[in-house]
Amino acid sequence: MTQVAPELLALQRLYHWEKTDPKRVALTQPMGAGAVQDFTWAEVADQVRRMAAHLQSQGWEPGSKVAILSKNCAWWMMSDLAIWMAGHVSVPLYPTLAPETVRQILTHSEAKACFIGKLDGWEGMKPGVPADMPCISYALSPLDAIKSYEGWEAICGRTPPLQGEPTRRADEIATLIYTSGTTGLPKGVMHSFGNFAWAIDAGLKRIPLSGDDRMLSYLPLAHVVERMLVEHGWLRTGMHIFFAESLDTFAADLQRARPTVFFSVPRLWVKFQQGVHAKMPPAKLNRLLGIPILGGIVRRKVMKALGLDQCKFAAGGAAPMPMALLQWYSQLGLNINEGYGMTENLALSHITEPGKNQQGTVGPTYDGVQHRIDPDTGEVQMRSQALMQGYYKEPEKSRESFTEDGWLKTGDKGTIDKQGLLRITGRVKDLFKTGKGKYVAPAPIEDKLVMHEAVEACVVTGANLGQPLGIVMLNADTAARVVNDAAARTELEASLASHLKAINATLDPHEQLQCIVVVTTAWTVDNDIITPTFKVKRNRIEDLYARYYDTWESSGKRVIWQKD
């Protein structure tokens, strides 16, 4: 059982800030048209107490499930706290899910109610919410939701705040985090209050968070990393959280927050790099960075333009970070720490150590975490006091996720060096065998392929083919430029062919790519090709493109344009 001091549990941290620093701004929420709304700790606690009193008045059994379907905002975090204070279990949903998935999660979790918050695609998701489910809207909810459901402000306005300091035990379930896995239906990962408290305690020994820090919350709070680092980091340290308004305002949101700690997934780190290169070609940037004094000025200018000039700790995760990308940011003076974890261990597994060159690995374990490699399969296995309590209503799958002696099976392949640094080499189930009988690990090749400036995302595949294939999706700017410009397309084709040649020169013969296939369909959450954390669903790629593999392979072309 997870052992933590009671005063470190989530609700106790809210009471602590409510008493010791009530007037300090805790949350800053954009309200549109450049306006923002600040919430002090006193205001956060007051609204949480009022909503908790409302939830308690519904007469549900203690430990009932209450869902949150919203993009990140101040009310998301206050809803989570109110659910806990009322004695219940929160069930966050990604704000981009298909209606069938929304219904599956709400039904499977037996949710009693749902907060319907800030959403871009509510009309598409609405059919997934049972018509008889009680729902509550936020100030930033879609107009239809505001008209259909009673609002947060109205409920808080008529409900007296819950008194005292209601507590939850460390061993009580706090939340069900439904996985956004690349295969199969989502599973509800059960985590306790003690899990969270132990994990943030261990995390803060490696990640330097304090009450003076600022973070921008923009990756889904339904995802385990944002939940841990932002929400529970905020509760533990009292730091100031800013929220992003939209993709269109993201640059301005970053400038407003000037985060001192910043986490992003590889795909977005690549986008930032491509944005810099769009304004200054790579060759020119490299030349300027190599000039004494001027190089320092250029670095500061680039980092300020990104909104990261105050960033003291940067991290990446959720998917492998290409080595070339890490080195590019290091040139700019921003060393990105690469982390590794999963929903089942609260993302608290490994992270590189600040100030040490551990690029190419995900670093050593956090304090209190143990790791090992299965000698038969090469699978990474780990254990700690942050391991899940199991999958909700899935005892068999829960058992399958652990070894007989209690270690979590991660599903990832890796190696551990003499310094205790873990290197992820691929997924146990992602390996495929070519027609020559040779196994190929796609992840390391994808790390190289995605580094072309025109590539947004990619997949390496080719089970039973003579050689693997690389399938790429172009970024939006490049796709728009080449669609009706033959010259631009010819230039890009030559560049991709050169990129392919350079990649193959670094690979063993059986790994070398037969060709690069450029697809015209954007890979999005809406068409179910990527997860909400930007991981490509390999099974969907097979569904969409496998019928073309033989044709691509026999074409003899190095770059192929596939019209879908």
Side-chain angles (χ1 to χ4, degrees):
M1 184 183 296
T2 304
Q3 300 296 318
V4 292
E7 65 270 17
L8 298 182
L9 300 178
L11 285 175
Q12 299 304 320
R13 300 307 297 161
L14 173 65
Y15 304 143
H16 168 80
W17 301 116
E18 179 187 30
K19 287 185 292 189
T20 63
D21 216 347
K23 294 183 180 179
R24 185 150 63 97
V25 174
L27 304 172
T28 294
Q29 174 64 53
M31 299 300 291
V36 298
Q37 181 177 348
D38 289 331
F39 293 86
T40 64
W41 280 105
E43 290 167 335
V44 168
D46 179 69
Q47 293 203 28
V48 168
R49 289 178 176 279
R50 291 174 186 272
M51 185 54 65
H54 169 75
L55 296 177
Q56 270 198 355
S57 72
Q58 304 307 300
W60 303 321
E61 288 287 324
S64 291
K65 316 302 185 294
V66 181
I68 305 172
L69 176 58
S70 175
K71 293 172 68 176
N72 299 14
C73 61
W75 294 277
W76 197 111
M77 285 162 61
M78 290 191 287
S79 296
D80 208 15
L81 288 162
I83 292 166
W84 293 338
M85 192 181 289
H88 300 310
V89 175
S90 61
V91 182
L93 282 77
Y94 284 96
T96 49
L97 296 176
E100 297 81 10
T101 310
V102 171
R103 183 173 291 274
Q104 189 259 333
I105 292 174
L106 292 177
T107 302
H108 184 267
S109 67
E110 304 170 73
K112 298 290 188 182
C114 186
F115 289 93
I116 305 294
K118 182 181 177 186
L119 295 165
D120 293 331
W122 168 236
E123 284 304 315
M125 284 179 274
K126 185 177 180 179
V129 179
D132 60 349
M133 175 167 284
C135 294
I136 297 169
S137 65
Y138 300 157
L140 295 177
S141 297
L143 184 59
D144 175 72
I146 291 174
K147 289 179 178 178
S148 302
Y149 311 123
E150 188 170 18
W152 177 282
E153 290 184 4
I155 291 172
C156 289
R158 63 173 170 77
T159 308
L162 198 63
Q163 297 301 306
E165 295 187 357
T167 59
R168 303 293 296 275
R169 299 189 317 274
D171 62 350
E172 285 186 80
I173 300 299
T175 192
L176 304 183
I177 306 178
Y178 277 83
T179 60
S180 64
T182 55
T183 59
L185 292 173
K187 298 185 291 291
V189 177
M190 299 184 287
H191 276 296
S192 69
F193 289 98
N195 285 158
F196 278 110
W198 186 89
I200 195 64
D201 208 37
L204 289 177
K205 294 173 183 175
R206 189 75 57 82
I207 300 173
L209 288 181
S210 74
D212 296 327
D213 283 311
R214 301 181 300 278
M215 287 196 72
L216 179 68
S217 179
Y218 68 101
L219 294 170
L221 274 163
H223 187 263
V224 66
V225 175
E226 193 82 354
R227 195 86 173 283
M228 276 298 307
L229 187 60
V230 174
E231 183 185 36
H232 286 270
W234 168 69
L235 287 169
R236 179 63 67 88
T237 67
M239 64 178 169
H240 188 170
I241 301 298
F242 293 76
F243 293 94
E245 184 170 3
S246 68
L247 280 176
D248 293 338
T249 66
F250 188 73
D253 296 328
L254 260 177
Q255 296 292 338
R256 179 190 299 116
R258 298 307 249 215
T260 57
V261 177
F262 187 74
F263 174 86
S264 193
V265 295
R267 185 173 176 181
L268 291 177
W269 283 117
V270 169
K271 274 183 163 299
F272 293 158
Q273 180 195 47
Q274 291 172 344
V276 171
H277 284 165
K279 295 179 180 179
M280 186 180 295
K284 181 179 180 180
L285 178 61
N286 290 337
R287 187 168 65 251
L288 292 176
L289 290 175
I291 301 174
I293 301 178
L294 179 60
I297 295 171
V298 171
R299 286 184 185 90
R300 288 191 292 274
K301 187 174 181 180
V302 171
M303 296 309 295
K304 189 168 185 178
L306 289 173
L308 296 175
D309 55 314
Q310 300 295 311
C311 184
K312 66 177 186 182
F313 185 89
M321 293 282 288
M323 176 71 81
L325 188 66
L326 293 169
Q327 293 171 343
W328 185 85
Y329 278 101
S330 291
Q331 272 190 298
L332 292 174
L334 186 68
N335 294 312
I336 299 175
N337 294 89
E338 188 166 10
Y340 168 70
M342 52 199 298
T343 308
E344 288 82 353
N345 59 27
L346 283 179
L348 202 288
S349 185
H350 297 70
I351 194 168
T352 54
E353 297 171 290
K356 297 184 180 180
N357 183 6
Q358 298 171 344
Q359 290 180 349
T361 78
V362 292
T365 60
Y366 286 90
D367 289 356
V369 176
Q370 297 174 284
H371 65 171
R372 71 185 187 189
I373 304 297
D374 183 286
D376 296 323
T377 64
E379 182 182 41
V380 180
Q381 298 174 352
M382 58 80 63
R383 64 180 178 184
S384 74
Q385 292 189 60
L387 295 188
M388 66 172 178
Q389 310 300 302
Y391 297 119
Y392 185 56
K393 297 196 295 192
E394 299 275 10
E396 188 58 35
K397 289 183 179 177
S398 299
R399 283 191 293 273
E400 291 171 359
S401 296
F402 292 92
T403 64
E404 290 185 4
D405 55 348
W407 292 66
L408 179 68
K409 301 176 183 178
T410 66
D412 290 306
K413 290 174 68 71
T415 60
I416 301 169
D417 68 17
K418 293 178 181 178
Q419 287 74 47
L421 306 180
L422 174 65
R423 185 183 303 272
I424 303 297
T425 58
R427 293 284 295 169
V428 173
K429 294 180 181 177
D430 282 348
L431 288 177
F432 62 86
K433 187 186 292 186
T434 66
K436 298 174 182 177
K438 296 278 193 176
Y439 281 101
V440 173
I445 307 173
E446 289 164 353
D447 285 350
K448 301 172 189 287
L449 189 55
V450 79
M451 289 310 297
H452 191 283
E453 61 185 11
V455 175
E456 174 94 356
C458 69
V459 164
V460 169
T461 187
N464 301 317
L465 297 178
Q467 294 292 141
L469 307 169
I471 306 175
V472 304
M473 181 193 81
L474 302 178
N475 62 52
D477 290 342
T478 303
R481 190 173 73 252
V482 302
V483 65
N484 292 315
D485 188 332
R489 177 179 285 211
T490 299
E491 181 182 352
L492 176 59
E493 188 170 323
S495 178
L496 287 171
S498 177
H499 186 52
L500 174 65
K501 184 177 180 180
I503 291 171
N504 281 343
T506 69
L507 301 175
D508 289 336
H510 71 280
E511 298 174 311
Q512 292 175 2
L513 301 178
Q514 176 77 22
C515 60
I516 291 177
V517 179
V518 183
V519 297
T520 54
T521 295
W523 298 347
T524 67
V525 175
D526 290 340
N527 61 21
D528 197 36
I529 299 177
I530 63 169
T531 72
T533 54
F534 304 118
K535 296 175 185 173
V536 179
K537 295 186 175 184
R538 294 182 185 275
N539 60 326
R540 286 284 291 137
I541 294 295
E542 298 293 325
D543 291 343
L544 290 169
Y545 303 116
R547 62 185 182 275
Y548 303 121
Y549 289 176
D550 290 337
T551 303
W552 293 342
E553 184 182 33
S554 61
S555 72
K557 296 180 180 178
R558 307 304 280 164
V559 178
I560 297 170
W561 297 83
Q562 176 64 36
K563 293 183 179 180
D564 301 317

